[in-house]
Amino acid sequence: MSVDILYKQIAAFYRSLADENRLSILMNLSAGAKTVSEIVEQTGLSQPLVSHHLKELKNGLIVRTERKSSFVFYELTEPSIVELLRLTNQLVVELSEKSRSVFTSGEMPALPFPMMMKKMSKIMNQALKEKQK
Amino acid sequence: MSVDILYKQIAAFYRSLADENRLSILMNLSAGAKTVSEIVEQTGLSQPLVSHHLKELKNGLIVRTERKSSFVFYELTEPSIVELLRLTNQLVVELSEKSRSVFTSGEMPALPFPMMMKKMSKIMNQALKEKQK
DNA sequence: TTAACGCATCAATAAATATTTATGTGTTAA
DNA sequence: TTAACACATAAATATTTATTGATGCGTTAA
């Protein structure tokens, strides 16, 4: 596969995550499958807006749907996506502390990073075993 | 810190990565610091466009600059960002294979994921130790 | 000081994206 | 079949973002 196409795909994936409201929705789904109504209620967003963002996430292969009677349940296609979010969270905190330290210069906060990575690796492996069944 | 603000920050971070050309630039920088001209040459993008994207990346705290005589060198603020890209790459491949298998139904490709995670963890830890010096 | 080079910025345009309001579609229960 | 509910979609608007071409600003070398 050409590198350009790969960049395009990765960019598209990041674009799916590059929205405040979609992140809110994803964190909601991290606990398990939910209906649109539940997501609307828990995020405080309007129903059409939630539907729109869910569509984006579905296009990005990040969530999938399952209809049960009159309800449509949305769930993560891959649980490890949540771990990616956590990793990113840590990285963002990291980067902002680093940039701040340019000015404060001297402090060096404790880094939960290594431990987090270990845990993440574990969860990832587990998710993949789960998948191979 | 409020959760909403956190989502906003993470979304902004992803937005910095959510562009094909910026990914191309970042992969170029993964080998080390480079001048704008070098990036222009190696990506094939116009100079103002490269400058624009570098500005975005700098706002996102992903790169930083250092002036040396008449040249401006750009470099990654955190080498582990490249590892995040690799992880994402794997995840995207993963997701697209998964979605394809909905149709082909039966194949289950070998997953380099666990090994990758292990390597990534190692690199991350190393980068962090480096930082604490 | 002037010319050449490296890079940033500005103005203009095009394109993509988020959001709202209104409406349509499918499902269930009366 | 009709009413109510859950969700999707369409139309309209506002905002953001990518890209280009022209120009400005700082640095170096003549």
Side-chain angles (χ1 to χ4, degrees):
Chain A
M1 191 192 310
S2 153
V3 175
D4 292 4
I5 293 177
L6 201 62
Y7 290 160
K8 204 167 277 188
Q9 286 188 344
I10 297 174
F13 176 79
Y14 280 133
R15 229 176 287 123
S16 301
L17 301 179
D19 182 278
E20 198 187 340
N21 291 331
R22 284 198 286 274
L23 290 179
S24 172
I25 290 171
L26 286 177
M27 289 313 291
N28 248 279
L29 292 181
S30 68
K34 293 210 171 128
T35 68
V36 176
S37 313
E38 287 173 323
I39 297 171
V40 166
E41 187 186 345
Q42 289 167 27
T43 60
L45 303 175
S46 74
Q47 179 268 314
L49 187 53
V50 168
S51 270
H52 165 69
H53 285 308
L54 285 172
K55 190 179 182 181
E56 295 291 312
L57 291 171
K58 196 176 178 184
N59 286 341
L61 303 180
I62 292 171
V63 302
R64 62 181 157 153
T65 62
E66 191 175 348
R67 176 145 219 154
K68 283 182 181 172
S69 77
S70 85
F71 295 90
V72 177
F73 284 83
Y74 280 79
E75 65 181 350
L76 298 177
T77 54
E78 182 74 55
S80 57
I81 287 170
V82 179
E83 297 309 316
L84 182 73
L85 296 183
R86 287 199 217 291
L87 171 62
T88 305
N89 180 12
Q90 292 295 334
L91 191 49
V92 168
V93 170
E94 184 74 5
L95 289 176
S96 45
E97 279 171 352
K98 201 171 199 171
S99 80
R100 185 169 17 183
S101 75
V102 171
F103 303 103
T104 61
S105 186
E107 56 182 315
M108 183 60 74
L111 300 176
F113 227 163
M115 193 167 56
M116 206 277 305
M117 284 303 301
K118 215 168 170 181
K119 191 179 169 191
M120 179 174 163
S121 178
K122 205 169 155 188
I123 294 173
M124 282 274 193
N125 286 324
Q126 198 179 326
L128 288 168
K129 275 179 201 154
E130 199 68 26
K131 191 173 153 295
Q132 286 179 324
K133 280 194 295 199
Chain B
M1 191 192 310
S2 153
V3 175
D4 292 4
I5 293 177
L6 200 62
Y7 289 159
K8 203 167 278 188
Q9 286 189 345
I10 297 174
F13 176 79
Y14 281 133
R15 229 176 288 124
S16 301
L17 301 179
D19 182 278
E20 199 186 341
N21 292 331
R22 284 197 287 273
L23 292 179
S24 171
I25 291 171
L26 287 178
M27 290 314 292
N28 247 278
L29 292 180
S30 68
K34 291 208 173 130
T35 67
V36 177
S37 314
E38 287 174 323
I39 298 170
V40 166
E41 186 187 346
Q42 289 168 28
T43 60
L45 303 175
S46 74
Q47 179 268 314
L49 187 54
V50 168
S51 271
H52 165 69
H53 285 307
L54 285 172
K55 189 180 183 180
E56 294 292 310
L57 290 171
K58 196 175 178 184
N59 286 341
L61 302 181
I62 292 170
V63 302
R64 61 180 159 157
T65 62
E66 191 175 348
R67 176 144 218 154
K68 283 182 182 172
S69 75
S70 84
F71 295 88
V72 178
F73 285 83
Y74 279 79
E75 65 180 349
L76 299 177
T77 54
E78 181 75 56
S80 58
I81 287 171
V82 178
E83 296 310 314
L84 182 72
L85 296 183
R86 288 198 216 291
L87 171 61
T88 306
N89 180 14
Q90 292 295 333
L91 191 48
V92 168
V93 170
E94 184 73 7
L95 290 175
S96 45
E97 278 172 352
K98 202 171 199 172
S99 82
R100 184 169 19 183
S101 74
V102 170
F103 303 101
T104 62
S105 187
E107 55 181 317
M108 183 60 73
L111 300 176
F113 227 163
M115 192 168 56
M116 207 279 302
M117 284 301 301
K118 216 168 168 182
K119 190 178 169 191
M120 179 176 163
S121 178
K122 206 167 154 189
I123 294 174
M124 281 275 193
N125 285 326
Q126 198 178 327
L128 289 167
K129 273 179 203 154
E130 201 67 27
K131 192 173 153 297
Q132 285 178 325
K133 283 194 293 196

